[in-house]
Amino acid sequence: VQNLVPGLMPVTLKPLALTIDSASSWANSNYLKAGFGNLTTPFVEAGLSFGDQKTKFNVFASHISSNGKIEFQDYAKSALSGNFYTPIANNLELHGKLGYRQDKYYQFGFDKNIFNYTKSDILQRFNTITAEAGLRNLSPTQFGLNYHPKLRIDIFSDNRKNSESNAVLNLPLIKNVGKGLAIKIGFNADFTRFTPDNLEAINNNIITTPVALQFKTPNLRFQAGLTPAWDNGLFRLLPSFLVDFPVAKEKWIIQAG
């Protein structure tokens, strides 16, 4: 018996870029999804894009609802949001987002022989409004600085006169010092206020000013620093340490911190 071993070696397959069969670039794209499932479940989702190569607008909308076999086993989720990106200078980009979401459920499953709830009694409707704005430089400045200040505000409410508001301000700044070395400083403020029905409001405020040194090579990413933090006025000093080891050309990363 003689074994034949062909002299063949496996060849790595490399993905090729898709060739556009048109002279014009794909500046905008749109999509639409629609479906219908059992338990009377309609679904629709759409995304639209507008604008030119500089200023872009995106609009997203979605809805899904369902009616279960048990009485009041119904729910519905709807969302609408829009965002934009536009340059305001040679190296500055302004971006923003505005969105609304509503979730509606019913507290089903109670014993109707004991309780006599109406549909409005067991309704739970949650509304969330989100607004966000930010400014960033597209490439490092002549002093090697990168910055991206951003403000996000969320307002939550329900149909039982409960509400919660949250504002997050993030002011990061990165200074490149030589090749692979950077200094990172920042200011972060997170303010939350919860107002329950007929009860006193609860505030939760956190402020941090992180400072870190970052070193990066093709085979190592290292970051170490300190984060002074004020939790409702109470000061804490938090250490920060992070190491990344790329493995197999960054297909795998070992992280420690």
Side-chain angles (χ1 to χ4, degrees), residues 181-184 211-215 222-225:
L181 186 63
I183 300 174
K184 302 175 66 176
V211 179
L213 184 65
Q214 184 183 66
F215 179 71
F222 173 80
Q223 179 175 306

Side-chain angles (χ1 to χ4, degrees), residues 39 66-75 106-110 112 119 122:
L39 302 179
S66 185
N67 299 323
K69 296 181 179 180
I70 303 175
E71 188 177 12
F72 305 128
Q73 192 186 23
D74 309 332
Y75 83 94
Y106 293 93
Q107 296 174 306
F108 67 95
F110 58 89
K112 297 186 65 177
K119 196 169 185 178
I122 60 176

Side-chain angles (χ1 to χ4, degrees), residues 132-199:
E132 182 179 306
L135 181 69
R136 71 183 183 100
N137 59 324
L138 301 177
S139 60
T141 67
Q142 59 180 342
F143 303 106
L145 298 175
N146 284 293
Y147 51 87
H148 189 183
K150 184 167 58 175
L151 175 64
R152 179 186 175 98
I153 298 176
D154 294 281
I155 301 175
F156 170 86
S157 63
D158 65 8
N159 59 316
R160 305 187 188 277
K161 299 182 180 180
N162 301 301
S163 64
E164 180 177 293
S165 60
N166 175 249
V168 178
L169 177 64
N170 186 16
L171 304 175
L173 180 64
I174 301 176
K175 165 65 176 177
N176 296 317
V177 184
K179 185 177 181 180
L181 186 63
I183 300 174
K184 302 175 66 176
I185 60 175
F187 175 84
N188 304 307
D190 191 329
F191 303 109
T192 302
R193 181 179 178 85
F194 172 58
T195 307
D197 182 28
N198 295 325
L199 294 175

Side-chain angles (χ1 to χ4, degrees), residues 75-94:
Y75 83 94
K77 295 182 179 181
S78 301
L80 177 65
S81 65
N83 53 50
F84 74 92
Y85 307 85
T86 182
I88 59 175
N90 292 333
N91 194 35
L92 287 178
E93 181 186 74
L94 176 68

Side-chain angles (χ1 to χ4, degrees), residues 229-236:
W230 291 263
D231 183 357
N232 293 311
L234 185 62
F235 177 75
R236 291 286 188 271

